[in-house]
Amino acid sequence: LAKTTQPISMDSYEGQEVNITCSHNNIATNDYITWYQQFPSQGPRFIIQGYKTKVTNEVASLFIPADRKSSTLSLPRVSLSDTAVYYCLVLSYNTDKLIFGTGTRLQVFP
Amino acid sequence: KAGVTQTPRYLIKTRGQQVTLSCSPISGHRSVSWYQQTPGQGLQFLFEYFSETQRNKGNFPGRFSGRQFSNSRSEMNVSTLELGDSALYLCASSYSRPGQGEDTQYFGPGTRLTVL
């Protein structure tokens, strides 16, 4: 069962790079790692997904070491609008339930 | 193409009543999953439907049920509502079953249920 662990909260300032790490020690061979962003009273919004090494899109990068037991979401030059809760999810086909971690509440200050 | 839609967006019910929530997945998506989100428990998995069959179920009582139609639209039903059922109910869709390769789940805006 691929349970994830993330820091509860993080603070940053506008223009800084933010790195949020997620631990997933029980990740299975075929599992992918997905990150979501959620604003209050809205559904989680897909940010990025990866399997190994590094994935980059227009909003973020995802770094996954060789053992895949953790992953790091990197948000370059955050702005106030990036203040949200960020969830790491490992979707495992063979589990009997899908589990989100507690999420990381990112607060960006001016 | 249109995203996942959920109706209604807001709902107020009283204890003992029942409620039905609806989810329309992204066109072409065949899997629909439901989640409950509360401040105390975070995001919790309710169940997953694929090809009109429930494939996975979370740790919720039998008062929570669902179904999926041939067009992949899904409904979830909660009977005999309790105060603790107040939550944001989220629906997510994907083409394949969650976890099968790099297919991604996309979430709807949610239905905010308040039980008085």
Side-chain angles (χ1 to χ4, degrees):
Chain A
L1 193 61
K3 180 178 179 180
T4 62
T5 304
Q6 305 172 230
I8 293 176
S9 64
M10 294 182 70
D11 292 337
S12 183
Y13 291 93
E14 281 191 295
Q16 290 189 330
E17 177 185 75
V18 171
N19 296 309
I20 306 174
T21 298
C22 175
S23 296
H24 27 79
N25 292 321
N26 295 327
I27 192 169
T29 303
N30 297 323
D31 294 346
Y32 276 73
I33 301 148
T34 310
W35 284 80
Y36 292 89
Q37 175 194 56
Q38 188 178 27
F39 298 109
S41 297
Q42 294 185 25
R45 183 177 73 96
F46 171 82
I47 301 175
I48 197 167
Q49 178 174 280
Y51 180 77
K52 62 180 179 180
T53 63
K54 178 183 175 181
V55 179
T56 298
N57 61 23
E58 62 276 10
V59 298
S61 294
L62 179 59
F63 299 91
I64 305 169
D67 65 6
R68 303 201 330 120
K69 293 186 176 182
S70 68
S71 58
T72 300
L73 172 71
S74 180
L75 304 172
R77 299 179 299 281
V78 294
S79 64
L80 295 177
S81 63
D82 292 319
T83 293
V85 179
Y86 292 82
Y87 290 96
C88 162
L89 173 67
V90 175
L91 283 173
S92 183
Y93 178 70
N94 293 319
T95 59
D96 58 355
K97 51 186 176 181
L98 305 173
I99 296 180
F100 275 79
T102 54
T104 299
R105 186 173 300 278
L106 172 65
Q107 178 69 54
V108 180
F109 296 95
Chain B
K1 52 186 173 183
V4 178
T5 59
Q6 293 185 245
T7 56
R9 292 294 312 279
Y10 302 93
L11 203 53
I12 298 176
K13 292 286 188 179
T14 57
R15 280 180 298 175
Q17 287 187 310
Q18 75 164 23
V19 66
T20 299
L21 312 181
S22 179
C23 171
S24 292
I26 291 172
S27 178
H29 283 191
R30 301 174 296 169
S31 171
V32 173
S33 297
W34 288 90
Y35 298 84
Q36 181 197 64
Q37 186 174 35
T38 59
Q41 298 296 322
L43 272 161
Q44 296 188 90
F45 171 70
L46 280 158
F47 27 64
E48 178 230 338
Y49 285 87
F50 183 83
S51 295
E52 302 177 63
T53 302
Q54 187 180 92
R55 302 302 179 114
N56 274 327
K57 191 176 190 303
N59 294 329
F60 280 82
R63 300 186 296 107
F64 291 82
S65 63
R67 59 178 175 170
Q68 186 181 34
F69 302 96
S70 58
N71 61 359
S72 295
R73 190 177 69 84
S74 177
E75 289 181 346
M76 68 163 281
N77 184 276
V78 188
S79 62
T80 320
L81 284 167
E82 301 177 359
L83 295 179
D85 297 332
S86 294
L88 180 67
Y89 290 89
L90 293 160
C91 161
S93 78
S94 56
Y95 177 76
S96 306
R97 292 198 58 207
Q100 287 193 345
E102 58 181 320
D103 196 16
T104 300
Q105 278 195 332
Y106 294 91
F107 284 81
T111 295
R112 171 72 63 185
L113 171 65
T114 300
V115 182
L116 302 176

